[in-house]
Amino acid sequence: MKHALVTGGSRGIGRAVSVKLASMGYNVIVNYVSNEAQAEATIKLIEEAGGTGELLKFDVSNLEQTVAAITGWQAAHKGEYIEVLVNNAGIRKDNILPLMPSEDWYKVLGIGLNAFYNVTQPLIQPMLRKKFGRVINMASLSGLKGLPGQTNYSAAKGGIIAATKALAQEVGKRGVTVNAIAPGFIKTDMVEGLNEEELVAQIPAGRFGNPEEVAALVGFLASKDASYITGEVISINGGLYS
């Protein structure tokens, strides 16, 4: 059985990615931290699509919790490994930096950047031993362009982009690819509170994207067809920024 882990898989892009990977034959491990009902709803969608999935609860920003959850899964699945990792978990705590509380800075960096190390480090080693793996990191337009009011979020996603490029060079010879996807404005709860009408006027495609469009790109990067693509940051933003 092939296994894939999607962090923050209970809603939005993470949910769409989970369903997509399940449709490709992966047993999808859906990570969540608090909203069990939404996580279970993702599993139901996976099963309705004819796939299999399981829940794995841990806070990606907490190293001890993350390692305990992953090593526990590995101990229960001897001889198997997670060959696709989608580092999707993230939060926004928008504010201009002069007014930003320190906890909003560290919370966003903890979930958006520190979690990359916490989750990827223990999972990359089995990929290297098996000489096949896919690490797909969810970056953002904010990490490429920088957006006012999102200094913390831009810092986290910019760090993810740099880490993607570095790790890809470390593991490429062992059949492991590492890529990032930088979505623009996608219809999820992450864009709640934004002025959609005003923002759509700036997007050449004339609309916000859908989670399933991002999931389709994840599916391609996870496939063997993408074996020669690594260290890349692929934008999916309707032409807003390149």
Side-chain angles (χ1 to χ4, degrees):
M1 181 174 286
K2 302 187 301 180
H3 300 282
L5 170 63
V6 181
T7 67
S10 63
R11 298 180 296 177
I13 291 174
R15 172 176 286 174
V17 167
S18 297
V19 174
K20 175 62 178 179
L21 291 175
S23 75
M24 295 170 61
Y26 286 96
N27 174 60
V28 181
I29 304 155
V30 178
N31 158 256
Y32 73 104
V33 67
S34 59
N35 198 330
E36 187 170 353
Q38 288 294 329
E40 288 177 343
T42 298
I43 296 294
K44 185 176 181 182
L45 289 172
I46 287 171
E47 292 172 346
E48 288 175 353
T52 64
E54 58 186 291
L55 298 180
L56 194 61
K57 179 179 180 179
F58 62 92
D59 179 354
V60 294
S61 68
N62 184 304
L63 177 60
E64 290 75 21
Q65 268 192 43
T66 301
V67 171
I70 290 173
T71 55
W73 186 93
Q74 291 170 331
H77 296 79
K78 295 292 187 183
E80 299 178 275
Y81 80 113
I82 294 168
E83 69 176 54
V84 173
L85 166 62
V86 183
N87 284 307
N88 169 75
I91 61 166
R92 282 175 44 220
K93 294 281 186 180
D94 293 356
N95 207 336
I96 60 171
L97 189 67
L99 301 179
M100 184 179 292
S102 60
E103 57 267 26
D104 287 357
W105 174 269
Y106 289 109
K107 185 73 170 177
V108 170
L109 267 290
I111 294 175
L113 182 57
N114 293 345
F116 166 81
Y117 172 84
N118 295 347
V119 181
T120 308
Q121 201 274 341
L123 291 181
I124 199 81
Q125 296 170 37
M127 293 181 189
L128 295 174
R129 289 196 296 270
K130 298 286 187 178
K131 296 185 179 181
F132 181 85
R134 298 286 185 264
V135 179
I136 302 165
N137 301 315
M138 206 59 64
S140 170
L141 168 68
S142 187
L144 289 170
K145 182 180 183 291
L147 293 177
Q150 289 192 342
T151 303
N152 51 358
Y153 192 68
S154 293
K157 296 306 185 179
I160 283 289
I161 288 169
T164 295
K165 293 176 178 292
L167 182 59
Q169 296 176 66
E170 294 178 1
V171 301
K173 290 182 179 180
R174 303 289 290 183
V176 179
T177 66
V178 187
N179 291 290
I181 295 172
F185 297 105
I186 307 297
K187 282 186 175 291
T188 69
D189 56 6
M190 287 288 282
V191 298
E192 286 181 2
L194 300 181
N195 188 325
E196 182 173 349
E197 183 177 351
E198 180 181 301
L199 291 169
V200 163
Q202 304 172 37
I203 302 172
R207 63 177 178 86
F208 279 10
N210 296 311
E212 290 75 19
E213 293 172 307
V214 181
L217 180 53
V218 172
F220 172 66
L221 290 175
S223 73
K224 291 184 178 179
D225 291 335
S227 294
Y228 203 53
I229 301 173
T230 194
E232 292 300 317
V233 182
I234 303 174
S235 293
I236 178 165
N237 58 37
L240 178 61
Y241 182 81
S242 63

